[in-house]
Amino acid sequence: MKAADRTESVTFAIGDVVIPARKLQQEGAEIMWLNLGDPDKFDFDTPVHIKEAAMKAMNTYNGYMDSEGLPALREAVASREKRKNGISASEEDILITNGTSEAIQMIYGALLNPGDEILIPGPAYPPYMSLARFFDAVPVPYRTLEEENWSPDIDDMRSRLSDRTKAILLISPNNPTGALYSRKHVEAIAGLAAEHDIVVVSDEIYDTMTFEEQHYSPLRAEDVPVIAINGMSKAYLSTGWRVGWAIFKDYNGNLSEIKDACLKQLRLRISANTVMQEAGVAALHGPQDHIKKVAQKLKERRDFMYKRMNEISGMTAEKPMGAFYIFPKVDCEDDKKFVLDVLENTHVLFVHGSGFGSYGKGHFRSIFLPPIETLEKAMNAVEKYMKGR
Ligand SMILES: Cc1ncc(COP(=O)(O)O)c(C=O)c1O
């Protein structure tokens, strides 16, 4: 039986490279997994008070929740945004989703008709491209400048706007490049969106994971509608719990129909995970001490990887300013072949850059989540391979 055509466009490079790695593992190889952005797989754990809240919730109520989300969590997200970005969001401006991933799907479903365009960073987290095609819409990548720490090229962005453009997407800190967009860039992007009467969609899932400077959100812009998405996966080290949310900051009533269209989709899937939403309330209202510690630990690992990558002849890397990814350029004909050759010869698994769109060609993505000893072992093996190839 043939699957529907729309699924042909669905690819996910981060998962694709796992297949050959599993095969090697079955043959007895010890794989160093530097492909997947999951802190819980390494020495990062969900803070104890949040786990306790989940256990308590499980002993209290296990039924469906309102489709728009647990009121206490929506209120907690609104007050986080007030604290962080100074915006006066209320419970009604927040929708709770099963992970940020569901929020992306819901927003695309609400915004994009066939043939509509969305500007996305080049390179970008792959679902932003796959899902656009799934909805018969067109992901249009805008250039980001590697030599300027992968910051957005505003002129290029402007040149890609058309009368089919529905939204501009920002991912800051960025996956896969680790770029952190400056206030100046964020304001310029918000200005472009305002000029063209379109929405800014802002993926802020790594907003607590920054090393030198703080994250600056387009939610602060005054005269443009913004939908920001975030969640518990990274900031609260609970990727498997699947709790995310979207924050709707309206301007001139432009977002009310879009928000209703989002909610219609949420009603179809009944509810997000009730128990984990209760844990989300504890996460957002409780102590936040782990956030600084996590950022510090990541900074040390970032420094290590940045130094080692740039010491290897044949590769150069920009310094990631946030998240836990580094995206080096490498001398090679074909970046996927390079990643597979590295895997075969060193048992270190990266992700090929072209999996993040055409701007990722000639690069690869590594995480820097593991402890330095593991990163060192991996980088020694990669260095030896690069010298000998
Ligand atoms: C930029 C970005 N957005 C969204 C997600 C998905 O996060 P969630 O676990 O909330 O679905 C990821 C996961 O790695 C990501 O890197």
Side-chain angles (χ1 to χ4, degrees):
M1 206 177 264
K2 198 164 162 8
D5 295 345
R6 76 174 68 83
T7 59
E8 269 170 37
S9 63
V10 179
T11 53
F12 195 43
I14 301 161
D16 291 350
V17 287
V18 169
I19 299 159
R22 289 243 168 87
K23 192 162 168 280
L24 272 176
Q25 195 180 36
Q26 275 158 13
E27 291 162 12
E30 194 191 319
I31 306 296
M32 287 175 266
W33 302 92
L34 299 190
N35 61 315
L36 188 63
D38 187 350
D40 290 79
K41 288 215 162 24
F42 302 97
D43 56 340
F44 297 91
D45 195 14
T46 323
V48 172
H49 68 279
I50 309 179
K51 289 193 213 175
E52 283 169 356
M55 288 185 257
K56 189 166 163 225
M58 197 179 294
N59 285 322
T60 312
Y61 174 67
N62 292 301
Y64 292 132
M65 184 41 59
D66 302 346
S67 296
E68 45 275 75
L70 176 73
L73 181 56
R74 297 170 75 202
E75 182 276 315
V77 172
S79 54
R80 177 194 192 256
E81 291 308 317
K82 199 168 285 173
R83 275 195 315 271
K84 182 177 171 282
N85 293 315
I87 61 162
S88 53
S90 72
E91 192 187 314
E92 281 69 45
D93 301 316
I94 317 292
L95 294 177
I96 309 294
T97 52
N98 285 301
T100 309
S101 303
E102 190 183 44
I104 301 171
Q105 187 164 339
M106 165 190 92
I107 292 164
Y108 272 29
L111 268 183
L112 301 174
N113 272 321
D116 282 348
E117 298 171 4
I118 175 161
L119 298 197
I120 60 172
Y125 180 57
Y128 284 109
M129 292 163 270
S130 281
L131 267 174
R133 295 192 197 101
F134 189 82
F135 286 111
D136 284 327
V138 186
V140 178
Y142 58 84
R143 182 166 50 209
T144 60
L145 300 165
E146 180 166 12
E147 61 284 9
E148 292 175 25
N149 259 3
W150 296 102
S151 59
D153 179 342
I154 305 294
D155 291 334
D156 187 67
M157 187 182 287
R158 187 191 311 274
S159 74
R160 303 208 181 249
L161 285 158
S162 81
D163 53 10
R164 294 305 303 260
T165 312
K166 281 294 190 64
I168 304 178
L169 169 76
L170 273 81
I171 310 174
S172 174
N174 184 275
N175 176 5
T177 62
L180 180 69
Y181 293 6
S182 67
R183 175 176 183 164
K184 194 177 105 212
H185 284 128
V186 172
E187 284 176 348
I189 295 168
L192 267 189
E195 221 177 277
H196 291 261
D197 252 341
I198 54 176
V199 186
V200 175
V201 178
S202 178
D203 182 327
E204 311 193 341
I205 189 150
Y206 298 106
D207 67 350
T208 61
M209 293 169 162
T210 59
F211 311 131
E212 274 82 19
E213 277 156 44
Q214 303 270 308
H215 169 253
Y216 189 84
S217 173
L219 285 168
R220 291 172 176 270
E222 305 257 292
D223 54 357
V224 66
V226 179
I227 310 175
I229 59 175
N230 209 327
M232 284 185 68
S233 284
K234 317 283 171 163
Y236 297 99
L237 308 168
S238 55
T239 47
W241 286 8
R242 315 307 304 130
V243 178
W245 49 80
I247 303 143
F248 294 78
K249 180 167 173 275
D250 208 346
Y251 176 66
N252 276 352
N254 284 346
L255 277 188
S256 65
E257 201 178 311
I258 302 296
K259 194 168 76 175
D260 287 349
C262 285
L263 182 52
K264 274 190 202 169
Q265 297 172 77
L266 294 189
R267 289 200 181 109
L268 291 182
R269 59 66 158 139
I270 306 182
S271 145
N273 185 317
T274 302
V275 168
M276 295 314 177
Q277 290 188 73
E278 288 285 2
V281 178
L284 290 176
H285 281 320
Q288 306 292 311
D289 326 340
H290 72 284
I291 286 179
K292 254 199 186 136
K293 291 185 199 141
V294 168
Q296 183 54 33
K297 207 153 113 175
L298 287 175
K299 183 173 185 290
E300 284 159 20
R301 295 173 191 192
R302 186 276 314 257
D303 289 343
F304 176 81
M305 280 300 255
Y306 172 65
K307 181 166 176 291
R308 284 300 304 266
M309 292 280 186
N310 283 303
E311 281 166 1
I312 297 178
S313 155
M315 57 177 78
T316 50
E318 291 300 306
K319 194 183 245 181
M321 307 307 273
F324 37 66
Y325 307 102
I326 186 161
F327 200 63
K329 187 196 288 182
V330 62
D331 290 343
C332 66
E333 290 280 306
D334 174 341
D335 53 81
K336 186 160 187 192
K337 186 171 179 306
F338 170 78
V339 163
L340 294 175
D341 286 346
V342 170
L343 171 67
E344 186 75 32
N345 288 282
T346 66
H347 300 160
V348 177
L349 182 63
F350 298 127
V351 185
H352 47 293
S354 53
F356 299 87
S358 55
Y359 282 104
K361 274 193 191 135
H363 295 77
F364 67 93
R365 189 193 78 173
S366 176
I367 56 165
F368 48 82
L369 286 165
I372 290 191
E373 308 81 74
T374 312
L375 295 175
E376 182 155 36
K377 203 170 150 204
M379 290 316 293
N380 288 345
V382 171
E383 186 164 36
K384 194 163 157 226
Y385 167 73
M386 292 294 286
K387 277 189 185 144
R389 75 178 179 147

